Amino acid sequence: MHMLQLNIAPLPKPISYESSLFLAGSCFAENMAIRLKQHRFNVLDNPHGIIFNPLSVANSIDSYIAGKLYSEEDLFYQNEIWNSWDHHTSFSHIDKAEALAQINASQQAASDFIRKASHIMITLGSSYYYVLKETGKVVSNNHRAPSQWFEKRMLTIEEMTDKFTDTINELLSVNPDVQIIFTVSPVRHYRDGLVENNRSKARIIESVHQLCDRFEQAYYFPAYELVMDVLRDHRYYDIDFVHPNYLATDHVWGRLTDACMDAHTLALMKQVHEIAIARAHKPRFPQTEAHKKFRLSYVQKIRALMTQYPYLQLTEELEYFNA
């Protein structure tokens, strides 16, 4: 099948195994984080959980830079659990103290990490956002609260660009050497309506390009265009026709690594991936001599790699094959 060609400019500061990668935003950011972790890169992703709207993403990054810690007053009780309007439901808990402890542990880790991150990938999903009618607070997640509690709004291009300009300036004040990678999520927000979804994505795309023009540290990776214009076929979607499937994500991942990593890192990734596949192998008879030799061969491979590249994070794999 013939595909349209999309030439992607190389990332000015390529990602390597010595990089520290911070990812924030929608579920596309989470998909990329999973693959980076599988290849044993140093990654911290979504310390607030999955967030779709640009205001909440920028606010979360602001909170890490400021070293914000949450208090009990920031939580609310709904559906028998404690929640935060700033966080995904993955931080909700039946115990108030536990919810708060999880949130603040994540805040502290993000605050430390963002100052030394070499790369920050920000994936934006929708220009639509919700505010609590009672307080005017922007919410990251509705937590299945009654719809009449919220007012739905749509960000303008100027609002997004101005907000992220402030956030990036703050970020550069604590981490001047960071490389920022912007992506737009290829997931359709069809519940807003297909016309409305396209309008929403168009605003994000224009805003992100304005930010890339404004900051030399900002780079645009066209994940959205790869799925919409290069793949553009229903076979690349899950059964909901909304989320890109494994094939699509794999294609985007391949283009991301080609654009953002050098040849040496790509070669190392193949070796690390081979180790990951070997670790996932479930032997039928682990007590055989053949399997013991198999394990020993991987202990030797991992030790050799870690000696040559001390920054590789393969301690878990070494312990597994040594066990």
Side-chain angles (χ1 to χ4, degrees), residues 27-40:
C27 45
F28 177 76
E30 193 169 76
N31 280 332
M32 293 299 105
I34 288 166
R35 285 173 180 256
L36 287 162
K37 287 174 185 173
Q38 284 169 345
H39 288 85
R40 309 308 283 158

Side-chain angles (χ1 to χ4, degrees), residues 94-142:
I94 199 161
D95 182 80
K96 191 179 191 179
E98 186 57 35
L100 198 59
Q102 284 179 19
I103 286 168
N104 282 333
S106 186
Q107 283 291 119
Q108 189 62 61
S111 184
D112 294 341
F113 198 99
I114 207 162
R115 284 165 165 74
K116 60 176 191 272
S118 59
H119 297 77
I120 293 181
M121 183 187 282
I122 299 168
T123 303
L124 305 176
S126 174
S127 300
Y128 286 103
Y129 68 106
Y130 291 85
V131 297
L132 272 174
K133 287 179 183 174
E134 193 180 337
T135 60
K137 178 180 172 58
V138 176
V139 301
S140 300
N141 195 295
N142 293 358

Side-chain angles (χ1 to χ4, degrees), residues 36-295:
L36 287 162
K37 287 174 185 173
Q38 284 169 345
H39 288 85
R40 309 308 283 158
F41 284 91
N42 181 21
V43 178
L44 182 69
D45 65 305
N46 276 343
H48 267 61
I50 293 168
I51 304 175
F52 297 104
N53 83 74
L55 264 188
S56 291
V57 174
N59 286 338
S60 71
I61 294 170
D62 292 345
S63 79
Y64 313 141
I65 297 165
K68 174 178 176 170
L69 292 177
Y70 283 75
S71 65
E72 289 191 354
E73 290 71 44
D74 295 312
L75 304 183
F76 70 97
Y77 193 67
Q78 174 74 11
N79 299 324
E80 298 183 78
I81 49 176
W82 290 96
N83 312 276
S84 158
W85 290 122
D86 291 345
H87 292 77
H88 186 260
T89 50
S90 53
F91 285 92
S92 300
H93 203 278
I94 199 161
D95 182 80
K96 191 179 191 179
E98 186 57 35
L100 198 59
Q102 284 179 19
I103 286 168
N104 282 333
S106 186
Q107 283 291 119
Q108 189 62 61
S111 184
D112 294 341
F113 198 99
I114 207 162
R115 284 165 165 74
K116 60 176 191 272
S118 59
H119 297 77
I120 293 181
M121 183 187 282
I122 299 168
T123 303
L124 305 176
S126 174
S127 300
Y128 286 103
Y129 68 106
Y130 291 85
V131 297
L132 272 174
K133 287 179 183 174
E134 193 180 337
T135 60
K137 178 180 172 58
V138 176
V139 301
S140 300
N141 195 295
N142 293 358
H143 295 288
R144 293 186 292 130
S147 58
Q148 59 266 30
W149 288 15
F150 307 100
E151 182 190 333
K152 185 179 180 181
R153 297 178 186 170
M154 191 182 194
L155 287 162
T156 66
I157 294 165
E158 292 73 26
E159 284 171 334
M160 275 185 267
T161 308
D162 290 349
K163 176 63 184 169
F164 265 104
T165 295
D166 291 343
T167 296
I168 292 170
N169 279 326
E170 287 296 319
L171 178 60
L172 294 174
S173 74
V174 299
N175 188 347
D177 298 323
V178 73
Q179 169 82 69
I180 301 161
I181 303 166
F182 276 108
T183 63
V184 176
S185 168
V187 176
R188 290 180 177 93
H189 289 247
Y190 76 97
R191 286 194 182 94
D192 294 323
L194 289 178
V195 171
E196 291 79 4
N197 169 70
N198 283 338
R199 190 177 171 212
S200 159
K201 298 285 189 190
R203 291 188 181 196
I204 292 176
I205 292 166
E206 179 54 31
S207 173
V208 165
H209 281 288
Q210 286 185 13
L211 290 163
C212 289
D213 290 341
R214 196 170 286 185
F215 293 97
E216 63 179 1
Q217 298 90 344
Y219 165 91
Y220 180 69
F221 177 76
Y224 179 82
E225 291 79 0
L226 281 170
V227 175
M228 294 296 163
D229 299 317
V230 176
L231 300 181
R232 62 173 186 175
D233 190 305
H234 282 138
R235 79 179 115 161
Y236 293 107
Y237 286 88
D238 256 333
I239 53 171
D240 61 4
F241 293 120
V242 171
H243 290 85
N245 62 16
Y246 180 85
L247 266 179
T249 311
D250 202 49
H251 179 78
V252 174
W253 167 251
R255 297 299 304 269
L256 180 77
T257 55
D258 286 346
C260 298
M261 297 171 190
D262 58 25
H264 172 69
T265 303
L266 291 172
L268 253 184
M269 280 171 68
K270 282 185 180 166
Q271 294 184 70
V272 172
H273 189 54
E274 185 199 330
I275 291 165
I277 290 170
R279 184 184 171 175
H281 173 68
K282 294 281 185 285
R284 196 169 164 210
F285 301 110
Q287 62 273 49
T288 61
E289 285 303 314
H291 186 66
K292 287 174 188 171
K293 280 180 186 171
F294 170 80
R295 290 175 83 101

